[in-house]
Amino acid sequence: MNKEFEMRRTLSTDEKSELLVVLKTRFDKNMKRHKNIKWHDVLDKLESNEQALITLQAMEQTNGEPDVIEGESDSVEILFVDCSEQTPSGRRKVCYDDLALESRKKYPPEASAVSLAKEIGVELLDETQYRRLQKLGEFDTKTSSWIQTPEKIRQLGGALFCDRRYDTVFVYHNGAESYYASRGFRASLKV
C-alpha cells in the first residue's frame, strides 16, 4: 500500500482544476474506452459532485489512473474504472478483507482491499466489470487484482482475483489472508 496515501476530505480550487485537466487529458487520449460519451457530460456530473472529485483524487493518488468506460447502456451514471496498465501500485500488498487481515497473525499486511476501497469511496470490480475492462486493453499482464468475491467462497476462507496472461483473462482463488507485492485491486466509481 502507498504509505503516502492519505484520504483527503476536501480539495482546493487549484487541486480540482488540476484533477479535471488530468481526467480530461486521459479521456481524450483513450476514446475507445468511451466512444458514446462526451466530455461535457462527464464534466457536468463532476462539477456538481464534490465527493466524486475527492474519490477520483484518491484513485489518482494511489496510481489507479481512473478513466470513464462504457457502462450498461441504460445507465445514466458515468462509470470511472482504474485503467492503469498494472494493478494500482498504491493499492498493492493487501489481503482481501478485514476478517482476513485479523486472521493473519504472522506478517500481516497494512490493510485489506475491501477496507481501503471503502475508505477511498469505491467498489472492487466484479468479474463482469473486470472482463469488460480487459476488452478495452491489456491490463494486469504482470500483476493481479482482487475482485468482489461471492459470499459462499468468502465464508469458506477464499477470495477471487484476476489477471491477464497468454492473451487470456484468468479468474483464480486464494486464501483471503494472502497478499503479494504484485497483487492489489482495481475499483470503480459511479457518478
Side-chain angles (χ1 to χ4, degrees):
M1 185 174 72
N2 185 341
K3 293 182 190 287
E4 283 137 46
F5 170 72
E6 182 180 324
M7 188 64 189
R8 306 285 303 276
R9 301 296 171 219
T10 62
L11 296 177
S12 70
T13 303
D14 287 346
E15 289 170 324
K16 288 177 193 175
S17 295
E18 289 171 19
L19 176 61
L20 288 171
V21 167
V22 168
L23 294 173
K24 183 179 185 327
T25 300
R26 187 174 295 131
F27 183 92
D28 290 341
K29 184 178 177 185
N30 298 287
M31 291 304 293
K32 69 180 183 178
R33 295 177 183 162
H34 38 256
K35 294 175 193 162
N36 300 311
I37 301 172
K38 305 290 184 234
W39 174 252
H40 64 82
D41 294 330
V42 175
L43 186 59
D44 286 347
K45 293 259 188 189
L46 292 178
E47 287 180 330
S48 64
N49 191 330
E50 175 85 12
Q51 187 56 53
L53 289 170
I54 291 169
T55 299
L56 287 165
Q57 177 71 13
M59 291 172 79
E60 191 68 34
Q61 188 179 358
T62 55
N63 305 311
E65 300 178 23
D67 195 9
V68 176
I69 68 166
E70 299 279 346
E72 292 86 33
S73 59
D74 60 345
S75 177
V76 296
E77 297 173 308
I78 303 291
L79 181 64
F80 280 90
V81 172
D82 290 311
C83 290
S84 55
E85 187 175 319
Q86 305 303 327
T87 196
S89 61
R91 293 187 241 142
R92 294 182 191 169
K93 298 181 188 175
V94 293
C95 62
Y96 182 72
D97 61 13
D98 284 346
L99 183 62
L101 183 62
E102 292 168 14
S103 73
R104 180 88 188 215
K105 302 299 181 204
K106 193 173 184 180
Y107 308 115
E110 293 181 26
S112 76
V114 171
S115 65
L116 188 52
K118 186 175 182 178
E119 180 182 349
I120 292 172
V122 295
E123 292 186 11
L124 270 65
L125 297 184
D126 62 25
E127 183 179 349
T128 301
Q129 291 170 323
Y130 190 89
R131 289 184 182 281
R132 185 181 314 141
L133 175 65
Q134 289 285 2
K135 289 179 181 177
L136 301 173
E138 294 186 4
F139 302 94
D140 287 337
T141 58
K142 298 175 184 173
T143 58
S144 60
S145 296
W146 290 113
I147 61 169
Q148 290 182 29
T149 298
E151 189 59 33
K152 182 178 180 184
I153 294 172
R154 187 59 200 96
Q155 286 177 353
L156 295 170
L160 301 178
F161 66 95
C162 294
D163 64 20
R164 181 185 196 109
R165 303 292 193 275
Y166 311 108
D167 200 28
T168 303
V169 177
F170 291 95
V171 177
Y172 305 93
H173 59 87
N174 215 179
E177 73 284 345
S178 65
Y179 70 99
Y180 301 94
S182 62
R183 183 172 308 147
F185 68 94
R186 292 180 180 276
S188 67
L189 173 68
K190 290 180 182 177
V191 180

